[in-house]
Amino acid sequence: MTEDLSSKLFSSLSDSGIHGRIEDLVPLTGGASKEIWKFNLVDSKESTRMIFRRGAQGESSLAIKTADEAKIQEEVSKTGVSVPQIIFVSNDSKLGDAYVMKFIEGETIPRKILRDERFKSALPLLANQCGEEIAKIHNTPLDNLQFLPKKSSKALVEDLYLLYESYKQPSPVFEYAYRWLKEQDFGNFEDSLVHGDFRLGNILVNESGLNGIIDWELAHIGNPIEDLGWMCGNSWRFGNSQMVVGGFGNLEDLIAGYNSVSAEKINAELIKTWQVFGTFRWGVICLMQVYAHLNGTVNSVEKAAIGRRVSETEIDIVDLLLLGGK
Amino acid sequence: MIFDRPTSIELIEAVIDFLDSEIKSELPPHLAFKIRIVTNVLKIVQREVNLGDQLSEEAKKLIADAIEDIQDPSMNKFAEAIKNGNAELNKESLKKALIEITKSKLSVDNPNYSTYKKLVE
């Protein structure tokens, strides 16, 4: 498999004018639904570290095409967002729905980032940096991104509810959350590029803090505050629940970073509304994964176990809406 | 119960102990990680066998208190009452049912979850 991929990569890259040998091609355990490989591209002058990313079978129906992720990364890099540089996008059957980007250094594993000595100095800076980077993403011109799904806040809530309902596993808490969400004001903002899954795990962190943003598969166009509410969800605090932003920072720093870049001024209350939405959304994504197992699409004990994590999102919603949780 | 010992709980415990003490240390990291998921799943089953009936009975009472004139209270009917607007959302007994039933679910699914620990302290 590795040799076959290696020769295909070599020939596709050569055809598009990128010459060099493919060396040390190895798979990385990355996202659950993508294939990710690293390799070195070696020519007579230098060796460059590269990442190959390809969509896999049975992918989440919420995900965009992998090649489209590359187009987004090219667009956001123009507004100064830190993303890996795209060097090749596959549009043939040889490599499938895939692209090659330059390797960027940084840790993605949340528990390492939150606990290793190496990141001690980075953590206090991270919430502000995340605010800045998210605001830059939201400032990206949309002219070249019209292929992305576009939804109003109300439509997003309705679609999420329909998806939840389709699994026919009624949840009193989700019904309550839906009725609450229907009454909320989500804020009037210009349509923005939304990353859709901005959190530890999908950002690269080094000793100086945020070094790159990856995993654009849930990107869409909509209300920008969705990204801020999402990363404040307790599911993404990895046990450090007293640190509201991603398990490492506080809301004031995230907002200050955001407001230093964005013309849209935002507030904590609006973020909380989107945090409830995001928590419900994560619960439904968990449902989606467990039903892929229960319907027989994939047979996996990990996916089965995820079914019993839906209740984690329910208790977070109960805490947020009924018990004054943050 | 017509079955001899070990009880179902004791059988599950024996498997958890075997995986933890004899298997986990023999495996490469990516499989050791999977075995951790497997033992977590077995621990959910263990807690559900222990607590499930009692917690489900308590939930029925909470739902009956929250929704007037409900016949044969169940999670499905509770969800439906909230959905159809047949439930008064601000009622204290409804809030209490949502809170307590969700806590009961977590006490089986994942009693180590941060929000659960915070709420039962």
Side-chain angles (χ1 to χ4, degrees):
Chain A
M1 162 123 183
T2 307
E3 260 173 44
D4 181 44
L5 178 59
S6 180
S7 66
K8 282 179 179 166
L9 260 174
F10 177 80
S11 97
S12 288
L13 290 175
S14 301
D15 289 350
S16 61
I18 302 159
H19 301 289
R21 296 191 307 280
I22 311 290
E23 289 185 0
D24 304 318
L25 180 66
V26 283
L28 300 176
T29 49
S33 58
K34 299 279 176 187
E35 253 183 87
I36 302 163
W37 299 72
K38 66 173 180 178
F39 65 96
N40 294 321
L41 186 67
V42 185
D43 64 15
S44 54
K45 278 174 280 173
E46 58 182 353
S47 166
T48 315
R49 298 168 83 182
M50 297 286 176
I51 297 287
F52 172 69
R53 179 168 161 95
R54 172 158 68 180
Q57 295 280 314
E59 220 172 326
S60 139
S61 64
L62 299 173
I64 58 171
K65 269 172 58 191
T66 306
D68 284 344
E69 295 174 26
K71 291 184 200 155
I72 300 171
Q73 282 177 232
E74 284 172 331
E75 285 305 308
V76 297
S77 71
K78 295 178 196 162
T79 41
V81 178
S82 317
V83 279
Q85 188 190 336
I86 304 295
I87 70 148
F88 170 76
V89 180
S90 161
N91 52 12
D92 56 28
S93 56
K94 213 161 25 182
L95 285 173
D97 183 21
Y99 61 95
V100 174
M101 58 187 160
K102 279 191 180 167
F103 173 88
I104 296 189
E105 187 270 330
E107 180 60 64
T108 59
I109 299 170
R111 283 173 201 277
K112 281 196 183 166
I113 296 168
L114 294 175
R115 275 152 218 170
D116 281 9
E117 198 56 37
R118 197 188 141 201
F119 303 106
K120 271 266 155 66
S121 55
L123 291 185
L125 311 171
L126 206 49
N128 197 286
Q129 292 172 342
C130 285
E132 286 173 7
E133 286 292 304
I134 293 172
K136 285 186 213 164
I137 294 171
H138 297 165
N139 281 346
T140 308
L142 301 177
D143 310 332
N144 298 327
L145 296 173
Q146 293 302 321
F147 57 88
L148 284 173
K150 181 168 160 180
K151 269 177 206 166
S152 71
S153 307
K154 294 274 176 211
L156 216 53
V157 172
E158 291 305 318
D159 285 5
L160 184 64
Y161 182 77
L162 286 177
L163 187 57
Y164 145 75
E165 251 196 335
S166 72
Y167 295 109
K168 303 199 184 322
Q169 180 174 292
S171 155
V173 174
F174 288 168
E175 296 290 349
Y176 187 88
Y178 172 59
R179 293 222 12 210
W180 185 85
L181 283 166
K182 278 209 290 194
E183 304 296 314
Q184 302 310 304
D185 177 5
F186 290 94
N188 255 329
F189 296 93
E190 274 192 41
D191 278 342
S192 306
L193 171 64
V194 177
H195 179 281
D197 198 8
F198 195 104
R199 58 173 174 86
L200 288 188
N202 292 337
I203 60 180
L204 296 154
V205 176
N206 63 17
E207 290 82 350
S208 344
L210 184 56
N211 198 38
I213 300 162
I214 54 174
D215 278 351
W216 293 80
E217 66 184 54
L218 295 179
H220 54 272
I221 294 173
N223 186 314
I225 315 305
E226 185 190 343
D227 273 335
L228 298 161
W230 178 253
M231 82 167 311
C232 292
N234 190 53
S235 312
W236 311 125
R237 296 181 202 163
F238 302 95
N240 275 8
S241 43
Q242 72 288 3
M243 303 303 272
V244 170
V245 178
F248 53 79
N250 62 53
L251 209 47
E252 290 71 29
D253 289 341
L254 180 75
I255 293 175
Y258 192 87
N259 286 345
S260 73
V261 173
S262 176
E264 306 272 22
K265 297 299 175 218
I266 52 159
N267 63 61
E269 198 188 342
L270 211 47
I271 294 179
K272 184 166 172 176
T273 303
W274 280 100
Q275 188 180 334
V276 174
F277 171 81
T279 308
F280 183 18
R281 179 174 179 245
W282 175 237
V284 176
I285 292 175
C286 289
L287 269 181
M288 199 166 165
Q289 299 205 26
V290 69
Y291 274 90
H293 165 81
L294 295 173
N295 297 338
T297 317
V298 289
N299 185 8
S300 140
V301 68
E302 285 120 310
K303 291 222 189 310
I306 282 174
R308 290 301 184 100
R309 297 194 58 190
V310 175
S311 56
E312 294 176 8
T313 64
E314 290 177 335
I315 202 163
D316 286 335
I317 289 172
V318 162
D319 189 38
L320 285 167
L321 295 184
L322 299 175
L323 296 165
K326 288 192 182 346
Chain B
M1 201 68 85
I2 58 171
F3 307 104
D4 301 326
R5 286 186 71 189
T7 64
S8 49
I9 292 175
E10 287 166 337
L11 286 170
I12 294 166
E13 276 167 357
V15 177
I16 293 172
D17 283 347
F18 166 69
L19 293 174
D20 273 344
S21 60
E22 291 179 52
I23 297 295
K24 208 152 75 183
S25 56
E26 301 294 319
L27 295 174
H30 74 283
L31 283 176
F33 174 74
K34 287 206 175 183
I35 284 293
R36 229 177 48 213
I37 295 174
V38 170
T39 51
N40 278 338
V41 166
L42 291 174
K43 284 175 187 169
I44 294 173
V45 177
Q46 181 191 21
R47 289 188 293 264
E48 185 169 320
V49 173
N50 264 330
L51 303 169
D53 288 346
Q54 186 203 333
L55 294 174
S56 299
E57 278 309 308
E58 285 169 16
K60 276 187 191 170
K61 289 197 193 96
L62 287 160
I63 294 166
D65 285 345
I67 312 291
E68 272 171 41
D69 301 328
I70 194 167
Q71 303 291 320
D72 207 5
S74 66
M75 289 293 271
N76 285 2
K77 285 189 177 166
F78 188 21
E80 205 178 277
I82 295 172
K83 175 183 175 174
N84 298 342
N86 296 338
E88 173 63 62
L89 295 192
N90 287 321
K91 213 162 107 179
E92 283 310 313
S93 58
L94 180 123
K95 292 181 186 174
K96 188 180 170 202
L98 287 171
I99 294 166
E100 296 305 323
I101 293 170
T102 307
K103 274 158 60 177
S104 294
K105 287 174 77 173
L106 266 292
S107 72
V108 165
D109 290 344
N110 184 4
N112 278 322
Y113 190 62
S114 56
T115 309
Y116 174 76
K117 286 205 286 197
K118 183 183 85 177
L119 295 181
V120 294
E121 256 165 28

